[in-house]
Amino acid sequence: VVGGCINQTYRLCTSGGNYFVKLNDASGLDMFAAEAEGLAELGQSGALRVPQPVCQGLSGSQAYLVMECLEGDSLKSLLRDLECRDKLMDLAEVGRIAGAVADALDYAHRLAELARRGPGPQQVLGQQDYPIPTEHRGEQKGQVADRR
């Protein structure tokens, strides 16, 4: 798998499903734990489909992170295909994608801010509702979900 320069990456195909595996030296263990936690949090928002972490740990001198392998076309390949056919993306689809990305970014920024400053008394005592982005399936944007 082509990827960044920080980790070795592999696509693991098994009879039980396909997985995406990242390897690094043992010092990458904390980075993988933080990534797995971040992916799990982003997945809870429902705004975007993100790979769910399966496991992470240390094997010998290598840290590893295993997550589900998401299949499907990338936005880049979808746009390239439309361009080759001299077509434009449907405006409703543009809005759906832009809304989902904006919701996921907003959710990630709120999580990062909470992690940076720590939870307030209302969150600790369970007296605070958190706005959760929706997946644009007819729900009203900005709905509030009780996370007690």
Side-chain angles (χ1 to χ4, degrees):
V1 175
V2 176
C5 58
I6 296 175
N7 306 302
Q8 295 174 329
T9 57
Y10 301 93
R11 183 170 184 243
L12 179 63
C13 302
T14 73
S15 60
N18 298 331
Y19 302 93
F20 185 72
V21 179
K22 295 172 105 176
L23 300 176
N24 203 319
D25 60 39
S27 66
L29 184 61
D30 289 341
M31 177 179 62
F32 286 158
E35 183 174 349
E37 184 178 328
L39 286 169
E41 289 288 332
L42 282 172
Q44 288 179 3
S45 78
L48 285 179
R49 175 102 166 89
V50 297
Q52 290 301 299
V54 175
C55 61
Q56 85 257 347
L58 198 58
S59 178
S61 63
Q62 285 206 301
Y64 62 88
L65 170 61
V66 179
M67 56 193 120
E68 71 177 319
C69 185
L70 297 182
E71 306 290 341
D73 292 331
S74 68
L75 181 58
K76 183 178 180 179
S77 67
L78 175 63
L79 293 173
R80 187 178 299 132
D81 180 58
L82 288 169
E83 183 180 33
C84 287
R85 293 185 291 131
D86 200 26
K87 293 192 174 203
L88 297 175
M89 184 179 288
D90 178 67
L91 190 55
E93 183 68 359
V94 170
R96 186 192 69 74
I97 292 170
V101 169
D103 285 346
L105 287 173
D106 177 62
Y107 186 77
H109 285 285
R110 284 187 278 121
L111 285 176
E113 178 64 20
L114 184 61
R116 185 186 65 72
R117 65 177 160 74
Q122 286 121 346
Q123 289 94 0
V124 172
L125 297 173
Q127 298 171 351
Q128 177 74 29
D129 291 340
Y130 298 90
I132 304 298
T134 62
E135 200 174 345
H136 303 290
R137 287 191 218 154
E139 300 96 335
Q140 291 184 359
K141 219 171 141 74
Q143 266 184 322
V144 174
D146 188 352
R147 296 187 73 185
R148 285 182 223 154

